[in-house]
Amino acid sequence: MSLLIKNIRLLLLIIQVCLLFIFSSCSSNTQQYNEFAFNGSTMGTTYHITIVADSINVEQRSRIATSVDSLLRVFNKRVSTYDDQSEISHFNQNLTIEPVGVSNELLHIVKMGQDFCNATSGAFDITVMPLVNFFGFGYEIGENRFPTVEEIDDWLQLTGCDKLLLGDSTITKTDPRISIDLSALAKGDASDHVAVFLKEMGFENLFVEIGGEIMTHGFNKYGRAWKIGIDRPNYGGAPGADLQHIIELSGLAVASSGDYRNYREIEGKRISHTIDPRSGSPIAHNLAAVTIVAESCMIADAIATSVMVLGPEDGLTWLKNYSGAEGLLIFREPDGTYREIMTDGFRGYLAD
Ligand code: ADP
Ligand code: MG
């Protein structure tokens, strides 16, 4: 009998040792690969790039850093309204209704803007620049008062999808005072460009973030999809300080729009940098943040702003009808708490 007990004890011990071995071999699965970081600033914000690769030598690292930096400089020289010597600024300064010759790259991003303008019946509108400037979110300092009804009426003559005529290599204003703001597309487009550039260099595992707009490919240093935190939209909150969710992406982009980081106060009222071009006023609803996942970061960026302008109900309906994008909408409740709605597909990206 005691021999039997001894044997059972021995068997249990062997099972325990085997289980321990299985667990320890599981934990060694979290193998770390080498990651290489490239950080800098562009478009008045920062960028963070991570490449996971076997090795990148010092010389290659400096070549990547220089190339990315120059790619972003060239990109900025086309689309930045904050650089008065950029291609878009020259176009804005050109007070004529003659066709203006533009680069293919500028034409492409303006065409995307026009497509989103048409798709959202004018909620997304790159001709919103004069209003953005008035409210102090553009390259001008901005006023400390709300515009008069007459001023808004005047601007509404200068905004709209039909105010720009696109040719094969030209853009024509229908009124000389029209000007273009590409801020709602530019960071996403730049993230796409950097990711394509690095893929062409032969890197498969990438994370590219420019001012919060992110493109991912392959895996992170743990051999898993890239983990990305989505901020809770607390006014003035630091990025990453308080997360609403963590999502996991590979081969996809994510972009967000919100009312909580870029805002001003006019006459004691908090106003958002997102303008509803249909009313000529900053958005005023309880949708605090929109996060969009799509295959292209420029598209995710444009959709996030579109849903933000369309607002809680129309924005959600529009998003559900848009094929190829998933989203999370976070609402600010009167008691200071947050409520969220996400599309079914978005749920699949959650890591938490
Ligand atoms: P972020 O810059 O924080 O990513 P968005 O992508 O939503 O935010 O872009 C907001 C910017 O887009 C504003 O600062 C403004 O320059 C511009 N903008 C504001 N309203 C609109 C609009 N209705 N359509 C297109 N662009 C807009
Ligand atoms: Mg954006």
Side-chain angles (χ1 to χ4, degrees):
M1 187 65 180
S2 76
L3 191 69
L4 184 66
I5 291 173
K6 257 191 188 161
N7 278 342
I8 290 174
R9 279 206 181 128
L10 189 66
L11 191 68
L12 284 175
L13 194 70
I14 291 169
I15 291 172
Q16 267 178 1
V17 170
C18 283
L19 279 177
L20 255 176
F21 177 74
I22 290 168
F23 281 130
S24 63
S25 51
C26 275
S27 61
S28 73
N29 251 353
T30 53
Q31 182 193 342
Q32 285 205 17
Y33 297 86
N34 295 325
E35 70 172 15
F36 303 87
F38 302 86
N39 303 322
S41 52
T42 184
M43 298 185 211
T45 183
T46 53
Y47 68 82
H48 300 96
I49 297 167
T50 306
I51 301 176
V52 170
D54 288 340
S55 74
I56 303 180
N57 64 35
V58 176
E59 194 192 314
Q60 275 178 310
R61 288 193 71 168
S62 106
R63 197 145 38 88
I64 294 167
T66 314
S67 309
V68 167
D69 202 59
S70 93
L71 184 156
L72 290 170
R73 266 176 219 282
V74 171
F75 186 84
N76 227 22
K77 265 284 174 226
R78 290 200 200 293
V79 304
S80 174
T81 46
Y82 295 91
D83 177 349
D84 61 6
Q85 296 303 314
S86 70
E87 189 179 2
I88 193 66
S89 292
H90 284 148
F91 176 85
N92 286 344
Q93 291 150 10
N94 191 337
L95 302 176
T96 69
I97 51 167
E98 298 300 319
V100 177
V102 292
S103 65
N104 280 337
E105 292 83 354
L106 184 65
L107 193 63
H108 175 70
I109 187 168
V110 168
K111 167 113 182 37
M112 288 300 299
Q114 289 294 79
D115 288 351
F116 271 96
C117 191
N118 290 318
T120 58
S121 309
F124 185 95
D125 186 351
I126 57 173
T127 64
V128 75
M129 190 81 254
L131 293 160
V132 171
N133 270 335
F134 179 92
F135 288 109
F137 298 109
Y139 52 86
E140 288 174 2
I141 290 171
E143 302 277 343
N144 275 319
R145 61 175 180 90
F146 283 98
T148 62
V149 177
E150 290 74 29
E151 281 172 320
I152 291 183
D153 279 350
D154 217 28
W155 286 321
L156 294 183
Q157 307 302 312
L158 304 179
T159 56
C161 316
D162 55 346
K163 298 292 190 298
L164 294 170
L165 309 174
L166 306 192
D168 287 340
S169 59
T170 58
I171 307 176
T172 310
K173 301 180 183 186
T174 53
D175 183 306
R177 296 168 299 162
I178 289 165
S179 54
I180 296 178
D181 179 1
L182 297 168
S183 304
L185 296 152
K187 285 182 279 170
D189 195 19
S191 297
D192 285 337
H193 279 288
V194 172
V196 166
F197 171 77
L198 294 173
K199 282 209 95 182
E200 281 172 2
M201 284 188 87
F203 298 112
E204 296 290 329
N205 307 303
L206 312 169
F207 173 94
V208 178
E209 179 258 329
I210 302 179
E213 322 298 27
I214 295 168
M215 183 70 212
T216 64
H217 285 290
F219 56 76
N220 64 11
K221 67 176 177 182
Y222 304 109
R224 305 269 309 265
W226 296 93
K227 275 191 196 303
I228 296 154
I230 299 172
D231 289 321
R232 211 181 301 287
N234 305 320
Y235 280 117
D242 184 17
L243 297 182
Q244 180 87 7
H245 282 297
I246 296 172
I247 59 172
E248 285 184 323
L249 298 180
S250 175
L252 290 170
V254 59
S256 297
S257 259
D259 70 349
Y260 55 102
R261 210 155 273 147
N262 195 356
Y263 57 85
R264 284 182 72 213
E265 259 187 34
I266 294 186
E267 296 171 11
K269 223 178 142 211
R270 204 182 322 237
I271 59 157
S272 164
H273 68 144
T274 309
I275 312 292
D276 189 337
R278 302 163 303 180
S279 66
S281 302
I283 52 166
H285 50 59
N286 72 335
L287 182 51
V290 176
T291 296
I292 300 293
V293 173
E295 279 185 11
S296 138
C297 197
M298 173 165 69
I299 288 180
D301 204 358
I303 294 177
T305 306
S306 298
V307 174
M308 201 64 198
V309 180
L310 287 165
E313 287 88 24
D314 292 353
L316 185 62
T317 309
W318 184 89
L319 176 61
K320 284 182 172 168
N321 285 328
Y322 188 99
S323 82
E326 301 295 341
L328 165 72
L329 282 65
I330 307 175
F331 302 89
R332 189 172 285 113
E333 299 289 54
D335 64 359
T337 59
Y338 298 106
R339 179 174 59 86
E340 63 175 32
I341 296 181
M342 61 183 85
T343 61
D344 292 341
F346 194 91
R347 206 169 294 282
Y349 302 123
L350 294 182
D352 49 2

